[in-house]
Coordinates of all heavy atoms in Angstrom, one line a residue:
Y9 N 6.7 19.2 6.6 CA 7.9 19.9 7.2 C 7.7 20.3 8.7 O 8.6 20.1 9.5 CB 8.2 21.1 6.4 CG 9.2 22.0 7.0 CD1 10.6 21.6 7.1 CD2 8.9 23.2 7.6 CE1 11.5 22.4 7.7 CE2 9.8 24.0 8.3 CZ 11.2 23.6 8.3 OH 12.1 24.4 8.9
E10 N 6.5 20.9 9.0 CA 6.3 21.4 10.3 C 6.4 20.3 11.4 O 6.7 20.5 12.5 CB 5.0 22.1 10.5 CG 4.9 23.4 9.6 CD 4.5 23.2 8.2 OE1 4.3 22.0 7.8 OE2 4.3 24.2 7.5
L11 N 6.0 19.1 11.0 CA 6.1 17.9 11.9 C 7.4 17.1 11.8 O 7.9 16.6 12.7 CB 4.9 17.0 11.7 CG 3.6 17.4 12.4 CD1 2.9 18.6 11.6 CD2 2.6 16.3 12.5
N12 N 7.9 17.1 10.5 CA 9.1 16.3 10.3 C 10.3 16.8 11.1 O 11.2 16.1 11.4 CB 9.5 16.4 8.8 CG 8.6 15.5 8.0 OD1 7.8 14.7 8.5 ND2 8.6 15.7 6.7
R13 N 10.3 18.1 11.4 CA 11.5 18.7 12.0 C 11.9 18.1 13.3 O 13.0 18.1 13.7 CB 11.4 20.2 12.1 CG 10.3 20.7 13.0 CD 10.3 22.2 13.2 NE 9.8 22.9 12.1 CZ 9.7 24.3 12.1 NH1 10.3 25.0 13.0 NH2 9.2 24.9 11.0
D14 N 10.9 17.7 14.1 CA 11.2 17.2 15.5 C 10.3 16.1 15.9 O 10.3 15.7 17.1 CB 11.2 18.3 16.5 CG 9.8 19.1 16.5 OD1 8.9 18.7 15.8 OD2 9.7 20.1 17.2
L15 N 9.5 15.5 15.0 CA 8.7 14.3 15.4 C 9.0 13.1 14.6 O 9.6 13.2 13.5 CB 7.2 14.7 15.2 CG 6.6 15.8 16.1 CD1 5.2 16.0 15.7 CD2 6.7 15.4 17.6
N16 N 8.7 11.9 15.2 CA 9.1 10.7 14.6 C 7.9 10.0 13.9 O 6.8 9.8 14.5 CB 9.6 9.7 15.7 CG 10.3 8.5 15.1 OD1 9.9 8.0 14.0 ND2 11.2 7.9 15.8
W17 N 8.1 9.7 12.6 CA 7.0 9.2 11.8 C 7.0 7.7 11.7 O 6.4 7.0 10.8 CB 7.1 9.8 10.3 CG 6.7 11.2 10.3 CD1 7.5 12.3 10.5 CD2 5.4 11.7 10.0 NE1 6.7 13.4 10.3 CE2 5.4 13.1 10.0 CE3 4.1 11.1 9.7 CZ2 4.3 13.9 9.8 CZ3 3.0 11.9 9.5 CH2 3.1 13.3 9.6
K18 N 7.7 7.0 12.6 CA 7.8 5.6 12.6 C 6.5 4.9 12.6 O 6.3 3.9 11.8 CB 8.6 5.1 13.9 CG 8.8 3.6 14.0 CD 9.5 3.3 15.3 CE 9.6 1.7 15.4 NZ 10.2 1.4 16.7
L19 N 5.5 5.3 13.3 CA 4.2 4.7 13.4 C 3.5 4.7 12.0 O 2.8 3.7 11.7 CB 3.3 5.3 14.4 CG 3.8 5.1 15.9 CD1 2.9 5.9 16.8 CD2 3.8 3.6 16.3
L20 N 3.7 5.8 11.3 CA 3.1 5.8 9.9 C 3.9 4.9 9.0 O 3.2 4.2 8.1 CB 3.1 7.3 9.4 CG 2.3 7.5 8.1 CD1 0.9 7.1 8.2 CD2 2.5 8.9 7.6
R21 N 5.2 4.9 9.1 CA 6.0 4.0 8.2 C 5.6 2.6 8.3 O 5.7 1.8 7.4 CB 7.5 4.2 8.5 CG 8.0 5.6 8.1 CD 9.5 5.7 8.4 NE 10.0 7.0 8.2 CZ 10.3 7.5 7.1 NH1 10.2 6.8 5.9 NH2 10.8 8.8 7.0
E22 N 5.1 2.2 9.5 CA 4.8 0.8 9.8 C 3.5 0.4 9.0 O 3.2 -0.8 8.9 CB 4.6 0.6 11.3 CG 5.9 0.7 12.1 CD 5.7 0.6 13.6 OE1 4.5 0.6 14.0 OE2 6.7 0.5 14.3
L23 N 2.8 1.3 8.5 CA 1.5 1.0 7.9 C 1.5 0.8 6.4 O 0.6 0.4 5.8 CB 0.5 2.1 8.2 CG 0.2 2.4 9.7 CD1 -0.8 3.5 9.8 CD2 -0.4 1.1 10.3
G24 N 2.7 1.1 5.8 CA 2.8 0.9 4.3 C 4.1 1.5 3.8 O 5.0 1.9 4.5
D25 N 4.1 1.5 2.4 CA 5.3 2.1 1.7 C 5.1 3.6 1.6 O 4.2 4.1 0.9 CB 5.3 1.5 0.3 CG 6.4 2.1 -0.6 OD1 7.3 2.7 0.0 OD2 6.3 2.0 -1.8
C26 N 5.9 4.3 2.4 CA 5.7 5.8 2.6 C 6.6 6.6 1.8 O 7.8 6.3 1.7 CB 5.8 6.1 4.1 SG 4.6 5.4 5.2
S27 N 6.1 7.6 1.2 CA 6.9 8.7 0.5 C 6.6 10.0 1.3 O 5.4 10.4 1.3 CB 6.5 8.8 -0.9 OG 6.9 7.6 -1.6
F28 N 7.6 10.6 1.8 CA 7.4 11.8 2.6 C 8.0 13.0 1.9 O 9.1 13.0 1.4 CB 8.1 11.7 4.0 CG 7.5 10.8 4.9 CD1 8.1 10.4 6.1 CD2 6.2 10.2 4.7 CE1 7.5 9.5 7.0 CE2 5.6 9.4 5.6 CZ 6.3 9.0 6.7
Y29 N 7.2 14.1 1.8 CA 7.7 15.3 1.2 C 7.5 16.5 2.2 O 6.5 16.6 2.9 CB 6.9 15.7 0.0 CG 7.0 14.7 -1.1 CD1 6.0 13.7 -1.3 CD2 8.1 14.7 -2.0 CE1 6.1 12.7 -2.3 CE2 8.2 13.8 -3.0 CZ 7.2 12.8 -3.2 OH 7.3 11.8 -4.2
N30 N 8.6 17.3 2.4 CA 8.5 18.4 3.3 C 7.5 19.4 2.8 O 6.7 20.0 3.6 CB 9.8 19.1 3.5 CG 10.7 18.3 4.5 OD1 10.2 17.7 5.3 ND2 12.0 18.5 4.3
R31 N 7.5 19.7 1.5 CA 6.6 20.6 0.9 C 6.2 20.2 -0.5 O 6.9 19.5 -1.2 CB 7.3 22.0 0.8 CG 7.7 22.6 2.1 CD 8.5 23.9 1.9 NE 9.1 24.4 3.1 CZ 10.2 24.1 3.7 NH1 11.0 23.1 3.1 NH2 10.6 24.6 4.8
T32 N 4.9 20.5 -0.8 CA 4.4 20.3 -2.2 C 3.7 21.6 -2.6 O 2.9 22.1 -1.9 CB 3.4 19.1 -2.2 OG1 4.1 17.9 -1.8 CG2 2.9 18.9 -3.7
S33 N 4.0 22.1 -3.8 CA 3.4 23.3 -4.3 C 1.9 23.1 -4.6 O 1.4 21.9 -4.6 CB 4.1 23.8 -5.5 OG 3.8 23.0 -6.7
E34 N 1.2 24.1 -4.9 CA -0.2 24.0 -5.3 C -0.4 23.7 -6.7 O -1.5 23.6 -7.2 CB -0.9 25.3 -4.9 CG -1.0 25.6 -3.4 CD -1.8 26.8 -3.1 OE1 -2.5 27.3 -4.0 OE2 -1.8 27.2 -1.9
D35 N 0.7 23.4 -7.4 CA 0.6 23.0 -8.9 C 0.0 21.7 -9.0 O 0.5 20.7 -8.5 CB 2.0 23.1 -9.5 CG 2.0 22.7 -10.9 OD1 1.5 23.5 -11.8 OD2 2.4 21.5 -11.3
N36 N -1.1 21.6 -9.8 CA -1.8 20.3 -9.9 C -0.9 19.2 -10.5 O -1.0 18.0 -10.1 CB -3.0 20.4 -10.9 CG -4.2 21.2 -10.2 OD1 -4.2 21.3 -9.0 ND2 -5.0 21.8 -11.0
N37 N 0.0 19.5 -11.4 CA 0.9 18.5 -12.0 C 1.8 18.0 -11.0 O 2.1 16.7 -11.0 CB 1.6 19.1 -13.2 CG 0.7 19.5 -14.4 OD1 -0.3 18.8 -14.6 ND2 1.0 20.5 -15.1
E38 N 2.4 18.8 -10.2 CA 3.3 18.3 -9.1 C 2.6 17.4 -8.1 O 3.1 16.4 -7.8 CB 4.0 19.5 -8.4 CG 5.0 19.0 -7.3 CD 5.7 20.2 -6.7 OE1 6.1 21.1 -7.4 OE2 5.9 20.1 -5.4
I39 N 1.4 17.8 -7.7 CA 0.6 17.0 -6.8 C 0.3 15.7 -7.4 O 0.5 14.6 -6.8 CB -0.7 17.7 -6.4 CG1 -0.3 19.0 -5.6 CG2 -1.5 16.8 -5.5 CD1 -1.5 19.9 -5.4
L40 N -0.2 15.7 -8.6 CA -0.5 14.4 -9.3 C 0.7 13.5 -9.5 O 0.6 12.3 -9.4 CB -1.2 14.7 -10.6 CG -2.7 15.0 -10.5 CD1 -3.2 15.5 -11.9 CD2 -3.5 13.8 -10.0
E41 N 1.8 14.1 -9.8 CA 3.1 13.3 -10.0 C 3.4 12.6 -8.7 O 3.9 11.4 -8.8 CB 4.2 14.3 -10.4 CG 5.5 13.5 -10.6 CD 6.6 14.5 -11.0 OE1 6.3 15.7 -11.4 OE2 7.8 14.1 -10.9
R42 N 3.1 13.2 -7.6 CA 3.5 12.6 -6.3 C 2.4 11.6 -5.8 O 2.8 10.7 -5.0 CB 3.7 13.7 -5.3 CG 4.9 14.5 -5.6 CD 5.3 15.6 -4.6 NE 6.5 16.2 -4.9 CZ 7.1 17.1 -4.2 NH1 6.5 17.6 -3.1 NH2 8.3 17.6 -4.6
I43 N 1.2 11.7 -6.2 CA 0.1 10.9 -5.6 C -0.5 10.0 -6.6 O -1.5 9.2 -6.3 CB -1.0 11.7 -4.9 CG1 -1.9 12.4 -6.0 CG2 -0.4 12.7 -3.9 CD1 -3.1 13.1 -5.4
S44 N -0.1 9.9 -7.9 CA -0.8 9.2 -8.9 C -1.0 7.8 -8.6 O -2.0 7.2 -9.0 CB 0.0 9.4 -10.2 OG 1.3 8.9 -10.1
D45 N 0.0 7.1 -7.9 CA -0.2 5.7 -7.7 C -0.5 5.4 -6.2 O -0.4 4.3 -5.7 CB 1.1 4.9 -8.1 CG 2.3 5.4 -7.4 OD1 2.3 6.5 -6.8 OD2 3.3 4.7 -7.4
A46 N -0.8 6.5 -5.4 CA -1.0 6.3 -4.0 C -2.5 6.0 -3.7 O -3.4 6.4 -4.3 CB -0.7 7.6 -3.3
E47 N -2.6 5.1 -2.7 CA -4.0 4.8 -2.2 C -4.3 5.7 -1.0 O -5.5 6.0 -0.7 CB -4.0 3.3 -1.7 CG -3.8 2.3 -2.8 CD -3.8 0.9 -2.2 OE1 -4.8 0.5 -1.6 OE2 -2.7 0.2 -2.4
I48 N -3.3 6.1 -0.3 CA -3.4 6.9 0.9 C -2.7 8.2 0.7 O -1.5 8.2 0.4 CB -2.9 6.2 2.2 CG1 -3.4 4.8 2.3 CG2 -3.1 7.1 3.4 CD1 -4.9 4.7 2.5
V49 N -3.3 9.4 0.9 CA -2.6 10.6 0.9 C -2.9 11.4 2.2 O -4.0 11.5 2.7 CB -3.1 11.5 -0.3 CG1 -2.6 12.9 -0.2 CG2 -2.7 10.9 -1.6
I50 N -1.8 11.9 2.8 CA -1.9 12.7 4.0 C -1.5 14.1 3.6 O -0.4 14.3 3.0 CB -1.0 12.2 5.1 CG1 -1.2 10.7 5.4 CG2 -1.2 13.0 6.4 CD1 -2.5 10.3 5.9
T51 N -2.4 15.1 3.9 CA -2.1 16.5 3.6 C -2.3 17.4 4.8 O -3.2 17.1 5.6 CB -2.9 17.0 2.4 OG1 -2.5 18.3 2.0 CG2 -4.4 16.9 2.7
H52 N -1.6 18.5 4.8 CA -1.8 19.5 5.9 C -2.4 20.7 5.2 O -3.5 21.1 5.5 CB -0.5 19.8 6.6 CG -0.7 20.6 7.8 ND1 0.4 21.1 8.6 CD2 -1.8 21.0 8.5 CE1 0.0 21.7 9.6 NE2 -1.4 21.7 9.6
K53 N -1.6 21.4 4.3 CA -2.1 22.5 3.6 C -2.1 22.4 2.1 O -2.6 23.3 1.4 CB -1.3 23.8 4.1 CG -1.4 24.2 5.5 CD -2.9 24.6 5.8 CE -3.0 25.0 7.3 NZ -4.4 25.4 7.6
T54 N -1.5 21.3 1.6 CA -1.5 21.2 0.1 C -2.9 20.9 -0.3 O -3.6 19.9 0.1 CB -0.6 20.0 -0.3 OG1 0.7 20.3 0.2 CG2 -0.5 19.9 -1.8
P55 N -3.5 21.7 -1.3 CA -4.9 21.5 -1.7 C -5.1 20.3 -2.6 O -4.2 20.0 -3.5 CB -5.2 22.8 -2.4 CG -3.9 23.3 -2.9 CD -2.9 22.9 -1.9
L56 N -6.2 19.6 -2.4 CA -6.6 18.5 -3.3 C -7.9 18.9 -3.9 O -9.0 18.7 -3.2 CB -6.7 17.2 -2.5 CG -5.3 16.7 -1.9 CD1 -5.6 15.5 -1.0 CD2 -4.3 16.4 -2.9
N57 N -7.9 19.4 -5.1 CA -9.1 19.9 -5.7 C -9.8 18.9 -6.6 O -9.4 17.7 -6.6 CB -8.8 21.2 -6.5 CG -7.8 20.9 -7.6 OD1 -7.7 19.8 -8.2 ND2 -7.0 22.0 -7.9
E58 N -10.9 19.3 -7.2 CA -11.7 18.4 -8.0 C -10.9 17.7 -9.1 O -11.0 16.5 -9.4 CB -12.9 19.1 -8.6 CG -13.8 18.2 -9.4 CD -15.0 19.0 -9.9 OE1 -15.0 20.2 -9.8 OE2 -16.0 18.3 -10.5
Y59 N -10.0 18.5 -9.8 CA -9.2 18.0 -10.9 C -8.3 16.9 -10.4 O -8.2 15.8 -11.0 CB -8.5 19.1 -11.5 CG -7.5 18.7 -12.6 CD1 -8.0 18.4 -13.9 CD2 -6.2 18.5 -12.4 CE1 -7.2 18.0 -14.9 CE2 -5.3 18.1 -13.4 CZ -5.8 17.9 -14.6 OH -4.9 17.4 -15.6
V60 N -7.5 17.2 -9.3 CA -6.6 16.3 -8.8 C -7.2 15.0 -8.3 O -6.8 13.9 -8.6 CB -5.8 16.9 -7.6 CG1 -5.0 15.9 -6.9 CG2 -4.9 18.0 -8.2
I61 N -8.3 15.2 -7.6 CA -9.0 14.0 -7.0 C -9.6 13.1 -8.2 O -9.5 11.9 -8.1 CB -10.2 14.4 -6.1 CG1 -9.6 15.0 -4.8 CG2 -11.1 13.2 -5.8 CD1 -10.6 15.6 -3.9
G62 N -10.0 13.7 -9.2 CA -10.6 13.0 -10.4 C -9.5 12.2 -11.1 O -9.8 11.2 -11.8
K63 N -8.3 12.7 -11.1 CA -7.2 12.1 -11.8 C -6.4 11.0 -11.0 O -5.7 10.2 -11.5 CB -6.2 13.1 -12.3 CG -6.7 14.1 -13.3 CD -6.9 13.4 -14.7 CE -7.3 14.4 -15.8 NZ -7.4 13.8 -17.1

Side-chain angles (χ1 to χ4, degrees):
Y9 171 72
E10 293 87 355
L11 278 75
N12 286 348
R13 63 171 79 181
D14 55 4
L15 294 178
N16 192 329
W17 287 88
K18 178 183 176 182
L19 293 176
L20 186 60
R21 293 183 187 279
E22 292 174 352
L23 299 179
D25 175 19
C26 295
S27 295
F28 289 170
Y29 298 96
N30 279 334
R31 300 173 183 86
T32 299
S33 75
E34 296 187 7
D35 179 72
N36 287 339
N37 292 329
E38 180 176 318
I39 296 169
L40 279 172
E41 181 181 343
R42 294 181 173 184
I43 72 169
S44 59
D45 58 345
E47 297 174 61
I48 309 295
V49 171
I50 309 294
T51 184
H52 193 184
K53 293 296 181 183
T54 303
L56 298 174
N57 58 30
E58 181 178 11
Y59 176 81
V60 168
I61 290 172
K63 294 288 186 179

